[in-house]
Amino acid sequence: MLVFASSDKGGTGRSVTSCNIAFHLAQRDDVAYLDFDFGSPTAGAIFDIPRAERGIERDGLHTYFTDGITDPRHLDVWHATDRADLRGANVRAGRLSFYPGEMGGAEFAISDTATTRCAELLTRLDQEYSVCVVDLSAGRSTALEMVLAATAQPMMRAITTRWLVFHRWTRQHIVAAHGLVYGERGIVEIGASAGHDPEALRDAIRFVRIAVPNLKEHNPGQTAAQATWLFTYDEELRKLAVDKRLGKSRVLGMTPVEPVLQYREQLISDSDVSTKIANHATVEAFRELAARLSDDAVWEGM
Amino acid sequence: MSSLDTPVYTEATAKPEPRQVALSHLSVEVGHLYMEDLLGGEERIRTQFRRVAPWLTAVRQAQAVELGGVKPRISTCFLIDDYFRPDTDPSVIVPQLLDIAAECGIQIDYLAREAGCHEAERVPLAEVTAAMLLPEPPVGTTGSRPPVQDSGWLCNGERSPDNTGRQAMMPAVAWAPAEEFGKRNHSIFLDVELWKDQTVTVDGVRRVERKWSCPFLAAVWQLVRLGQLRYAGEPVAQPQPWSGSWPRHWRDLPAVVQLSERPQPFSAYRTASILPKTYLKIEHAVTVILDHLDLDDAVVAQTARRAEAEGLRLPAQLTDRVAHVFIEPAESRAERAW
Amino acid sequence: MVILGEVRTSLLHNSLPLPRDAVADLLSLRPGRQVTATDRPINRTVSPETVIGVDCAIASEPRVRARGIGTVAAHAVVVGGLVAQASARVRLEWTADRERKPWAHYARRRGVVEVLGGVTAEQVLAGYHRPGRQADTMDLGAVCQRLLTQVQGRPQLDHRTGLRTRPTSLRWTAVAREDERPSVRLHIDDEVQRTLQVVVPPDLLGEAARFCEDLALHDWLYTALGNVVGQAERDMAIGADPMGVLNAALSLLVRLWMPGAHVDLALRPLWQELETTPGFTESWDRQVAWMRDQVSMRTLSALQEARH
């Protein structure tokens, strides 16, 4: 299964959430995480791999696409991470392989060659890994256009492909996420022109709401007026989301506000919860996202 | 030979051996005319054949000297440009051509069609040849990257560096001249267009159509004359006798027509081409193409064995078996595109 | 005389084994060139050779300046309509030349790389067997990978994954020595990388590649089965059903195990050496028996449950 992580805006928590999803999936399956955020390849920092914090020096995904090398380098996250609590936490965990971009790597022009190479790489990794999570750059990027064209190629038609669109729980983000999927030159339109069946493509897209405040939680610092405003506004956002076709049936899940992630993008492990640094609800949300991602019932057509 | 293939157990498809073709010592191409020349009146044709005749005699003598006493097996052939001009009428052109050749003392044993170098009896010869291309690697080629290939082009050196398809915000590569591999002091760089792909719409269906270039088909023509092409081990473009009247369309003729009775074999160990000088650049391109082919090694070995059995000296390099005589063209056509 | 080679092995990207004619079609990679096939004891089909030119440094240990010019020959192999291999190799020939000759000289010597410079065969062998490729030296692995990618992308395949497996890579050298018994040394570098050293009499050097391809196939099968057992155990540990992966492996992989079947008789003793240490077939059989036991026990208990 291929999972593409996209978002219209930067700073949505797309990368950190998809890393955490990959981490949970890898507890029982072999998982590959591909950093297709070519303009800013920084997923290494989330996995806490110091030598790949801003990408690796050579033979990364950039060179694979622009220079034609055959084997982009990958790192075994369990071995390469500095996080001692991740290593050996689960002796029966699957592999978690991280395919980094390159230090100083930049966006490149899309070409038929790059698209073919993309299809070849994804097909090859799909044979090897149960799940490949591909983190795309924000917005209408080269990476997004390239994977839409690649997944429309005949050799990729048989592969289960799922698209995630991450957005924060604000009016602007909802409108933007709607635009990225349904709007002009959005995923559906560009996908259809690349050869996808627009209906099938639409059905393979789910939204992930990031940092949604829990209004039921008691907040001692809040006035009654504030609370009322928040409830009203939250209700308005819900209506807006339904209007914009981002309603509940199209949502894969949501993550709560997590203070740790406001400061540092990282994997949230059970040990972060037991030391009370991170919230239990956050880990649960990631676990739930991972479970629903591979639950076919969630992805049945609408 | 491996012991798996001992008589204890063999399988039909395990080790295919290519079939042989009959070989002359020399195949001589007796001139070449553009279709416009063929249509442009008898005098142009006559002028060229008159110029070819003495050289044909010379080439025959040279071959006899080379063989030193053995009776040379020499066949002659003539190639018609029907690939780029299929709209002309063989029933008009062929009889006239053969009459004038005979009048000038030239016997043409085989008449071949250029379109037959593209596809002969439904065997895609040009495609087979394209699959044999083996571009020359620049220094530093490790195999890590796919060969740098501008699809449809072949060169005899290294092209100028190129700034397309790179990442954003990378410094541009400085210009450098193209350079011939193995040059002597200075380069004679040649970049040959082998084919051109065009998208055409036929009955509402879009498909890519490939137009092969004249030098590429001329390279196939040399390979056929040298007996080096096989399709799944079978000979290709074998001459077929033709009796009766000439058809109205070139496509109704076989790729290679046998004209004379009991000629020497069409294919040969060596070729000589007597051509107007306008074909010099095409033949240069042909040489570059022939030098960059991965030939069927079973056929190559077979040919070498047969030459040895006949006591012939045969250069290992294919292009060393190919000779040319360039004569004055019918009229100056240097400016015309081929 | 020295041959350097590499074989990459992976599962053909198809839901079911491909019939023999479809395999022949799949491996018709060069128009006009023949695909060769043997059907017994199991179908093994080989594509026509493809060639690419190289002119680069040659790895050596200790590092000595050496340049190799020539062509790499490669072909693809499909065994049992199920396993795809790409195999690239070069025969090294030492030359006193100091410069590159006209290209036609190399073009007509398929799979031969001429070595320029004062490097010895021993230094080249040591350099090739070092873990990790020295930068900017000849890269047979990439040649293999491109060929494998080409085969795996062909339209004859349905591109459905029947069983998730990891491709493996085997780097090999074959050295011809007069009056020496054929010998073999296999080293497992990591989960997917192996190195193999073979010594054979000069007349059998040409057969070494086929032996190495056969060994690479069986090493891959062995590795794949090991991973299946690991996955089944992981499933069982979390209470998931391991039957899917066990059944797929049993039905796809098991019948391909035939060490030495396609190897020249004279080189079969090499297999016998490997059967002694580390011992391939015995431990393969045990793994298969374990898998069958799991399947029958689970089938049995499912039946009993259904009866109650």
Side-chain angles (χ1 to χ4, degrees):
Chain A
M1 173 171 75
L2 301 175
V3 179
F4 295 100
S6 66
S7 63
D8 183 69
K9 287 170 155 323
T12 47
R14 181 196 68 244
S15 297
V16 71
T17 309
S18 44
C19 282
N20 274 285
I21 291 175
F23 169 73
H24 283 286
L25 287 169
Q27 298 307 312
R28 58 167 294 190
D29 277 314
D30 291 341
V31 177
Y33 184 94
L34 287 79
D35 193 351
F36 273 27
D37 191 349
F38 297 118
S40 166
T42 52
I46 303 173
F47 289 122
D48 215 337
I49 302 176
R51 65 188 148 114
E53 223 160 46
R54 302 195 46 79
I56 52 173
E57 262 172 51
R58 57 188 206 103
D59 295 346
L61 287 172
H62 286 88
T63 313
Y64 173 79
F65 284 109
T66 58
D67 215 15
I69 58 163
T70 50
D71 299 298
R73 281 186 50 199
H74 63 275
L75 303 167
D76 179 333
V77 172
W78 307 143
H79 286 110
T81 181
D82 258 12
R83 294 268 307 265
D85 59 320
L86 298 183
R87 278 183 252 148
N90 175 3
V91 289
R92 291 204 185 278
R95 282 185 297 139
L96 178 54
S97 298
F98 169 46
Y99 286 76
E102 270 151 53
M103 231 178 273
E107 291 256 337
F108 47 86
I110 188 167
S111 66
D112 287 351
T113 319
T115 303
T116 307
R117 298 185 66 76
C118 178
E120 287 169 355
L121 179 68
L122 294 175
T123 310
R124 187 171 143 193
L125 295 183
D126 182 66
Q127 272 194 282
E128 198 180 330
Y129 296 93
S130 302
V131 186
C132 296
V133 178
V134 183
D135 186 25
L136 306 167
S137 326
R140 292 162 167 83
S141 60
T142 309
L144 178 57
E145 192 186 338
M146 182 172 74
V147 296
L148 279 168
T151 48
Q153 295 202 356
M155 71 187 283
M156 293 199 68
R157 297 244 166 94
I159 299 176
T160 306
T161 303
R162 289 170 180 171
W163 302 80
L164 300 182
V165 178
F166 294 80
H167 66 89
R168 299 179 77 93
W169 193 234
T170 69
R171 164 170 275 280
Q172 287 80 357
H173 273 268
I174 290 170
V175 173
H178 165 85
L180 179 68
V181 174
Y182 307 107
E184 212 177 303
R185 295 193 299 116
I187 292 176
V188 175
E189 189 185 309
I190 297 297
S193 76
H196 283 279
D197 168 14
E199 216 163 292
L201 182 58
R202 241 189 324 259
D203 285 349
I205 299 172
R206 292 291 182 281
F207 295 89
V208 181
R209 299 175 182 173
I210 301 294
V212 182
N214 183 354
L215 301 181
K216 286 175 198 126
E217 214 167 58
H218 173 65
N219 187 342
Q222 208 170 52
T223 64
Q226 280 171 331
T228 313
W229 185 88
L230 283 174
F231 267 106
T232 318
Y233 200 72
D234 191 59
E235 198 45 45
E236 266 182 46
L237 287 185
R238 271 174 219 286
K239 281 204 194 106
L240 178 69
V242 170
D243 277 353
K244 293 285 180 192
R245 286 174 285 166
L246 276 67
K248 212 166 172 205
S249 61
R250 295 180 196 269
V251 170
L252 184 72
M254 53 183 80
T255 68
V257 178
E258 171 55 63
V260 168
L261 298 181
Q262 310 276 336
Y263 287 92
R264 183 171 184 271
E265 299 196 302
Q266 63 164 64
L267 294 183
I268 305 286
S269 71
D270 285 329
S271 69
D272 293 316
V273 176
S274 59
T275 53
K276 308 240 187 248
I277 289 169
N279 291 318
H280 179 65
T282 308
V283 174
E284 272 314 303
F286 290 146
R287 198 169 278 147
E288 172 86 3
L289 279 171
R292 281 172 60 83
L293 187 56
S294 31
D295 180 356
D296 291 339
V298 174
W299 293 86
E300 263 156 29
M302 274 172 255
Chain B
M1 171 119 334
S2 108
S3 56
L4 273 186
D5 305 311
T6 52
V8 179
Y9 179 73
T10 57
E11 279 180 65
T13 55
K15 262 228 178 111
E17 178 70 13
R19 256 197 330 130
Q20 309 202 354
V21 295
L23 291 174
S24 290
H25 290 121
L26 183 69
S27 151
V28 187
E29 182 177 11
V30 290
H32 190 83
L33 288 154
Y34 290 110
M35 201 57 97
E36 296 88 278
D37 294 325
L38 289 170
L39 297 168
E42 295 191 356
E43 213 33 53
R44 281 194 201 169
I45 305 173
R46 190 168 290 119
T47 310
Q48 187 174 107
F49 278 133
R50 271 199 201 126
R51 286 177 183 150
V52 167
W55 289 109
L56 175 58
T57 313
V59 165
R60 284 181 183 280
Q61 278 172 0
Q63 182 61 49
V65 170
E66 172 79 26
L67 291 174
V70 179
K71 187 170 177 286
R73 302 192 302 272
I74 297 176
S75 65
T76 58
C77 56
F78 191 90
L79 184 71
I80 295 279
D81 273 358
D82 67 327
Y83 183 67
F84 294 94
R85 289 291 306 274
D87 55 337
T88 52
D89 185 348
S91 67
V92 176
I93 290 172
V94 176
Q96 185 188 40
L97 179 81
L98 298 180
D99 284 350
I100 300 172
E103 180 193 308
C104 299
I106 295 171
Q107 180 184 288
I108 299 175
D109 297 326
Y110 301 98
L111 186 74
R113 298 188 298 114
E114 194 176 28
C117 296
H118 160 228
E119 197 179 287
E121 280 76 62
R122 277 190 277 174
V123 176
L125 295 188
E127 203 185 310
V128 169
T129 307
M132 304 196 315
L133 287 168
L134 176 56
E136 186 166 2
V139 176
T141 304
T142 59
S144 290
R145 293 161 179 76
V148 184
Q149 225 172 342
D150 226 342
S151 178
W153 290 82
L154 178 75
C155 65
N156 64 348
E158 202 165 353
R159 298 183 177 94
S160 286
D162 146 45
N163 273 318
T164 54
R166 62 204 174 86
Q167 291 176 43
M169 298 181 74
M170 288 272 269
V173 188
W175 184 85
E179 198 181 313
E180 183 193 357
F181 289 126
K183 64 178 167 136
R184 293 198 170 200
N185 300 319
H186 296 91
S187 283
I188 301 170
F189 180 82
L190 183 66
D191 211 341
V192 186
E193 184 168 25
L194 307 175
W195 63 76
K196 191 180 280 170
D197 284 338
Q198 279 170 330
T199 312
V200 291
T201 310
V202 180
D203 302 332
V205 183
R206 277 159 59 92
R207 61 189 175 88
V208 174
E209 206 163 71
R210 178 162 292 184
K211 199 77 180 164
W212 303 93
S213 74
C214 177
F216 193 75
L217 294 177
V220 178
W221 169 233
Q222 287 285 1
L223 289 172
V224 173
R225 286 166 69 200
L226 288 162
Q228 292 300 308
L229 285 185
R230 298 288 186 284
Y231 191 78
E234 293 295 315
V236 297
Q238 289 299 288
Q240 291 169 34
W242 186 270
S243 56
S245 60
W246 297 101
R248 303 294 305 271
H249 301 288
W250 294 107
R251 59 168 186 268
D252 296 331
L253 282 173
V256 180
V257 183
Q258 179 191 324
L259 297 173
S260 55
E261 268 184 50
R262 311 219 299 152
Q264 295 295 342
F266 167 66
S267 296
Y269 289 113
R270 294 167 186 257
T271 68
S273 301
I274 305 167
L275 301 170
K277 210 182 135 201
T278 26
Y279 289 86
L280 179 59
K281 58 184 177 181
I282 292 179
E283 294 302 312
H284 180 194
V286 167
T287 309
V288 170
I289 295 169
L290 293 180
D291 276 341
H292 290 82
L293 293 181
D294 167 48
L295 297 168
D296 190 331
D297 52 357
V299 179
V300 170
Q302 209 176 58
T303 313
R305 273 200 307 274
R306 287 172 60 185
E308 206 187 336
E310 282 198 60
L312 291 177
R313 188 187 61 83
L314 195 64
Q317 194 168 322
L318 201 65
T319 42
D320 290 346
R321 304 176 198 167
V322 175
H324 293 95
V325 175
F326 290 107
I327 58 170
E328 188 190 326
E331 60 186 76
S332 177
R333 293 184 179 278
E335 301 303 309
R336 186 196 288 165
W338 31 265
Chain C
M1 276 198 286
V2 174
I3 298 183
L4 309 181
E6 178 153 345
V7 185
R8 291 205 177 180
T9 308
S10 70
L11 190 66
L12 202 58
H13 204 186
N14 206 54
S15 45
L16 291 168
L18 215 56
R20 94 183 273 289
D21 288 351
V23 171
D25 208 21
L26 177 84
L27 293 184
S28 298
L29 301 176
R30 295 184 70 179
R33 295 284 167 94
Q34 278 160 302
V35 166
T36 57
T38 46
D39 276 321
R40 300 194 182 176
I42 189 165
N43 177 269
R44 179 178 190 275
T45 307
V46 183
S47 77
E49 294 284 332
T50 60
V51 231
I52 71 151
V54 289
D55 178 349
C56 58
I58 291 194
S60 58
E61 179 65 33
R63 289 188 86 158
V64 178
R65 275 174 68 94
R67 179 179 175 191
I69 311 172
T71 61
V72 178
H75 60 224
V77 183
V78 170
V79 181
L82 207 74
V83 181
Q85 294 186 296
S87 170
R89 71 217 165 273
V90 293
R91 200 173 74 231
L92 300 182
E93 283 184 11
W94 268 256
T95 162
D97 293 343
R98 303 179 69 95
E99 272 175 44
R100 181 150 117 180
K101 293 197 183 104
W103 182 240
H105 167 79
Y106 306 100
R108 64 171 182 265
R109 307 173 80 215
R110 186 187 290 167
V112 173
V113 164
E114 294 188 357
V115 182
L116 290 69
V119 73
T120 66
E122 283 65 37
Q123 288 166 336
V124 170
L125 290 170
Y128 191 67
H129 282 305
R130 267 177 66 92
R133 192 174 61 88
Q134 285 172 14
D136 303 322
T137 58
M138 198 165 50
D139 189 355
L140 299 181
V143 176
C144 285
Q145 188 55 54
R146 276 198 301 276
L147 184 56
L148 203 54
T149 304
Q150 186 191 356
V151 171
Q152 295 281 28
R154 301 258 299 166
Q156 286 82 1
L157 302 174
D158 65 15
H159 300 108
R160 286 175 201 278
T161 306
L163 177 69
R164 266 175 231 287
T165 55
R166 291 180 83 174
T168 56
S169 159
L170 178 127
R171 288 152 65 88
W172 59 272
T173 57
V175 182
R177 292 217 183 100
E178 297 276 2
D179 312 321
E180 212 170 295
R181 212 168 54 85
S183 68
V184 58
R185 224 188 114 203
L186 174 67
H187 179 71
I188 307 292
D189 302 8
D190 60 30
E191 288 129 321
V192 291
Q193 182 73 46
R194 291 92 181 75
T195 49
L196 179 71
Q197 290 163 272
V198 182
V199 177
V200 291
D203 59 316
L204 287 171
L205 195 61
E207 296 299 324
R210 199 143 43 144
F211 168 77
C212 296
E213 287 160 10
D214 192 49
L215 179 56
L217 167 73
H218 288 88
D219 171 73
W220 176 85
L221 284 170
Y222 190 90
T223 308
L225 206 70
N227 290 340
V228 163
V229 169
Q231 179 67 49
E233 284 173 343
R234 190 189 298 155
D235 286 343
M236 283 146 70
I238 56 170
D241 186 7
M243 293 287 265
V245 62
L246 288 175
N247 281 329
L250 284 170
S251 69
L252 293 175
L253 304 183
V254 171
R255 66 196 161 114
L256 299 179
W257 188 265
M258 269 176 228
H262 290 287
V263 173
D264 190 283
L265 277 177
L267 291 183
R268 282 194 204 164
L270 294 180
W271 256 117
Q272 281 148 26
E273 274 185 52
L274 290 165
E275 288 289 12
T276 321
T277 14
F280 268 94
T281 298
E282 199 187 326
S283 101
W284 168 269
D285 288 343
R286 275 201 203 136
Q287 299 266 50
V288 172
W290 179 86
M291 289 163 63
R292 288 201 173 120
D293 288 347
Q294 292 305 317
V295 171
S296 30
M297 284 190 302
R298 278 169 187 275
T299 314
L300 199 65
S301 54
L303 276 175
Q304 277 165 346
E305 248 166 61
R307 224 173 269 158
H308 286 297

